[in-house]
Amino acid sequence: MDGMPGPHVIRGSVSLPESELMWRFSRSSGPGGQHVNTSDSQVELRFDLARTEALPPVWKERALERLAGRLVDGVLVVRASEHRSQWRNREAAAVRLAGLLAEATAPPPRPRRPTKVPRGINERRLREKKQRSETKRGRSARDWS
């Protein structure tokens, strides 16, 4: 569409082709002058995640699983209406969509390897605990006769 920047990079060499993005424009809600009632500055960007060929199969699977709560029939919808110009809202929506997909397709974190607490540290903790209880016991007002 009218000079919109090219494909939106998700991560590495993977990007969203403009042909798979569906744009819809409507009037933004909220305050404004006479102009706001006539301009369609709110942007709704739709991306069919279930049918896309732009993402590697592994990423697609991961994204479908992680974004399941946000999808409507396999379509991811992002709205932007924070700016007064349609152009800036389009950019914001595209950046938000790319960010969502980048996060959803990220590889899972490495599993944490459990480590054992060193014996010295445990003994020091117990020693300090005993000392603290002695200090507190010494404060009790039993033997003030």
Side-chain angles (χ1 to χ4, degrees):
M1 296 191 167
D2 47 291
M4 188 72 185
H8 307 284
V9 177
I10 295 176
R11 195 170 51 253
S13 62
V14 179
S15 58
L16 296 177
E18 193 64 46
S19 59
E20 290 194 17
L21 302 179
M22 293 165 280
W23 298 91
R24 229 175 86 199
F25 309 103
S26 57
R27 293 189 183 132
S28 283
S29 61
Q34 291 93 338
H35 178 69
V36 80
N37 301 325
T38 60
S39 62
D40 292 343
S41 61
Q42 179 173 301
V43 172
E44 186 179 279
L45 176 56
R46 296 168 160 270
F47 177 66
D48 196 341
L49 188 56
R51 293 196 191 92
T52 187
E53 296 297 321
L55 299 176
V58 180
W59 286 24
K60 186 172 158 179
E61 220 171 276
R62 217 180 279 156
L64 282 168
E65 190 180 309
R66 291 182 184 168
L67 295 171
R70 283 197 64 147
L71 299 176
V72 179
D73 297 330
V75 178
L76 181 62
V77 180
V78 175
R79 279 193 190 85
S81 62
E82 57 267 18
H83 300 292
R84 286 174 64 177
S85 83
Q86 185 189 97
W87 180 255
R88 287 182 58 196
N89 280 333
R90 286 172 70 168
E91 283 182 344
V95 166
R96 209 173 295 155
L97 177 71
L100 266 171
L101 287 172
E103 203 176 299
T105 58
R110 275 208 176 120
R112 182 188 167 286
R113 274 187 39 219
T115 55
K116 211 170 118 188
V117 178
R119 202 169 78 217
I121 289 179
N122 210 16
E123 285 173 358
R124 187 180 71 194
R125 182 181 64 84
L126 293 173
R127 211 173 33 249
E128 286 171 359
K129 199 171 166 174
K130 194 166 272 176
Q131 202 174 356
R132 187 90 181 124
S133 80
E134 286 297 322
T135 306
K136 287 191 171 192
R137 219 173 53 189
R139 290 183 193 150
S140 67
R142 272 181 291 158
D143 309 324
W144 292 103
S145 48

